[in-house]
Amino acid sequence: ETGVTQSPTHLIKTRGQQVTLRCSSQSGHNTVSWYQQALGQGPQFIFQYYREEENGRGNFPPRFSGLQFPNYSSELNVNALELDDSALYLCASRLGSGREGTQYFGPGTRLTVL
Amino acid sequence: GDSVTQMEGPVTLSEEAFLTINCTYTATGYPSLFWYVQYPGEGLQLLLKATKADDKGSNKGFEATYRKETTSFHLEKGSVQVSDSAVYFCALLPGAQKLVFGQGTRLTINP
């Protein structure tokens, strides 16, 4: 039990639609990261938010966007869904933005795009 | 760029066998190293970590030693159990932001 929760658990969308995934971090954790895990692969870093500002981004297009709120919750938004967006989306929270904080992962949201 | 290479799976062992999952990395500087475990239908759980050369991380009978000279962080356990069946990910944190993961190794333990 990591104290990080995500909703919904599963989601089915069609190509071209928009989706919002939600994450609730451990209390006090001011940094949240989002990862995409395609089937049979390791997670890939999407972006990171620290104190409600994006402070790092992986190789994902601008249609992937996020928000972080003062109550330690966050969102991942994906516009114009493509079939390749089908994956498990994981959020991870930690205290601080440096190397020292361990990242704690939520159970993930499995997104299927038809 | 930064990368992690893991031993290809799947790996199948009998209960009480010795386990090694190889992990090597490429990174500039001095990354922190991690092993995460993912049970079926679940997210990632931190298994162990090491933050500097020669550190040994350990948890639940699993161990891994940060070897800078061979850029390796191999996972070992002396006697595996059926409950250890899962996918194991080696990862590095090269800076302050993103974890870089290997492709994962699926482990199945037969009774």
Side-chain angles (χ1 to χ4, degrees):
Chain A
E1 187 63 47
T2 64
V4 181
T5 59
Q6 291 186 244
S7 63
T9 305
H10 296 89
L11 201 53
I12 299 175
K13 292 285 188 178
T14 56
R15 195 170 46 183
Q17 285 189 311
Q18 178 267 344
V19 69
T20 298
L21 310 181
R22 294 181 172 83
C23 172
S24 180
S25 301
Q26 277 196 27
S27 180
H29 281 192
N30 52 15
T31 300
V32 65
S33 302
W34 285 88
Y35 292 81
Q36 180 194 67
Q37 185 179 13
L39 198 61
Q41 302 294 318
Q44 299 288 319
F45 174 75
I46 302 175
F47 46 56
Q48 175 176 281
Y49 278 78
Y50 172 63
R51 291 184 175 178
E52 301 164 50
E53 298 275 343
E54 184 182 303
N55 74 338
R57 191 175 186 91
N59 190 26
F60 281 81
R63 59 189 184 85
F64 286 78
S65 63
L67 286 171
Q68 185 187 25
F69 304 101
N71 65 351
Y72 308 117
S73 67
S74 60
E75 292 179 354
L76 165 65
N77 299 289
V78 187
N79 293 322
L81 284 167
E82 301 177 359
L83 297 179
D84 284 349
D85 295 334
S86 295
L88 180 69
Y89 288 85
L90 299 163
C91 74
S93 76
R94 62 191 170 110
L95 180 62
S97 62
R99 294 179 59 229
E100 64 281 359
T102 295
Q103 297 196 29
Y104 295 93
F105 283 82
T109 293
R110 184 160 299 282
L111 172 65
T112 302
V113 182
L114 302 177
Chain B
D2 303 312
S3 65
V4 174
T5 302
Q6 281 184 240
M7 170 178 172
E8 283 198 26
V11 174
T12 302
L13 297 172
S14 297
E15 206 165 21
E16 299 184 2
F18 183 85
L19 168 71
T20 299
I21 300 178
N22 291 336
C23 170
T24 57
Y25 67 91
T26 301
T28 55
Y30 303 94
S32 295
L33 300 174
F34 304 82
W35 277 99
Y36 281 86
V37 58
Q38 187 172 38
Y39 297 101
E42 298 185 12
L44 297 174
Q45 296 179 25
L46 177 65
L47 183 58
L48 53 84
K49 69 177 185 180
T51 57
K52 60 183 186 297
D54 300 324
D55 268 2
K56 177 185 283 188
S58 62
N59 186 28
K60 299 180 181 178
F62 290 90
E63 293 183 340
T65 300
Y66 189 141
R67 301 287 187 199
K68 187 163 177 61
E69 64 277 11
T70 55
T71 61
S72 65
F73 193 55
H74 305 322
L75 182 68
E76 296 181 336
K77 186 175 185 182
S79 176
V80 293
Q81 305 300 313
V82 172
S83 58
D84 294 326
S85 297
V87 181
Y88 291 80
F89 291 94
C90 184
L92 66 85
L93 188 66
Q97 297 171 353
K98 64 175 183 179
L99 281 165
V100 177
F101 288 88
Q103 74 274 28
T105 302
R106 181 174 299 278
L107 173 67
T108 301
I109 307 300
N110 294 321

